[in-house]
Amino acid sequence: MHPYLDPFYAAFPAFIANMAPVFVAKAGWLHALDVPLDFRKTIFGKRIFGDHKTIRGLIAGILMGGAMGIVQYALHTFGIVKYPYLLSDAEFILFGFFGGMGALIGDAVESFFKRQFNIASGRPFIPFDQTDYIVGFLLFTLPFVSWSFHEVIFLLCVGIICNPLSNILAYVLRIKDTYW
Ligand code: CTP
Ligand code: MG
């Protein structure tokens, strides 16, 4: 057991899910699903989520998070990378899909608050932009792993630290137009 590597490895589906919407949009996949999640509806006079939260992004996050979970399951089953938490086969297969869904729902909930606070889509809301998907991931995977307090704090810090790194990576890979 490792106090930092274990939760970090288990959160891979969250990191992948969080990057999935930008990647899928850039690749031009699932074009028919490029529809706002809130269907442009408003609540309290503000858009529920705004134009940057799409059905395509949600589906991409669930599928890519799920795919990551299945890769980790295969690596564990074939004895290549031992998984740090005890899960049944069925739980293991569901873990990535739930985690990916939680990540994208956490992100959408954060966008809801940004809209209510009059923060335009795409404008920063630090540190919530960096941690929204981690919170969603942790909540949606609670049926599988009882996260400890220190694991929660550690992953929130990873979200804050990883954000600039993943932005720079996406910029270098030409997925994003800016490096922030
Ligand atoms: N995205 C998407 N669908 C989602 C989530 C994200 O299409 N459900 C895409 C959008 O193109 C979005 C990008 O991923 O611009 C990055 O997501 P994020 O940084 O969370 O969104 P913001 O542009 O900051 O928008 P918001 O202000 O609503 O958080
Ligand atoms: Mg966000």
Side-chain angles (χ1 to χ4, degrees):
M1 289 294 278
H2 190 284
Y4 301 122
L5 287 180
D6 290 357
F8 182 67
Y9 183 66
F12 275 17
F15 302 129
I16 295 291
N18 187 48
M19 291 188 269
V22 184
F23 178 78
V24 169
K26 201 73 185 174
W29 293 346
L30 305 173
H31 192 73
L33 297 174
D34 187 14
V35 176
L37 209 51
D38 62 9
F39 294 100
R40 301 200 168 77
K41 292 205 184 339
T42 58
I43 188 163
F44 309 125
K46 311 273 169 22
R47 279 288 294 273
I48 302 176
F49 301 123
D51 281 331
H52 289 192
K53 300 293 110 120
T54 64
I55 296 178
R56 170 166 71 182
L58 175 64
I59 303 286
I62 295 171
L63 293 181
M64 291 184 71
M68 185 73 241
I70 287 173
V71 167
Q72 290 178 306
Y73 176 64
L75 291 173
H76 178 79
T77 306
F78 295 124
I80 300 167
V81 183
K82 192 175 153 1
Y83 197 72
Y85 299 93
L86 191 64
L87 300 177
S88 70
D89 286 359
E91 286 173 332
F92 213 153
I93 288 166
L94 290 175
F95 185 92
F97 291 97
F98 271 68
M101 188 191 303
L104 269 291
I105 289 178
D107 177 47
V109 169
E110 192 242 350
S111 291
F112 167 81
F113 287 107
K114 284 171 83 173
R115 301 300 86 83
Q116 292 298 321
F117 297 148
N118 282 321
I119 300 168
S121 290
R123 300 298 304 161
F125 188 30
I126 300 166
F128 305 103
D129 293 306
Q130 289 72 26
T131 48
D132 52 11
Y133 72 97
I134 303 273
V135 173
F137 164 79
L138 290 170
L139 287 176
F140 274 64
T141 52
L142 268 183
F144 312 109
V145 176
S146 311
W147 303 108
S148 69
F149 180 71
H150 106 261
E151 288 174 323
V152 171
I153 299 298
F154 168 69
L155 285 176
L156 292 175
C157 293
V158 168
I160 292 171
I161 294 162
C162 273
N163 189 255
L165 296 178
S166 70
N167 285 343
I168 291 167
L169 178 69
Y171 175 72
V172 170
L173 296 174
R174 296 181 193 283
I175 295 170
K176 269 184 72 165
D177 298 328
T178 56
Y179 57 81
W180 60 84

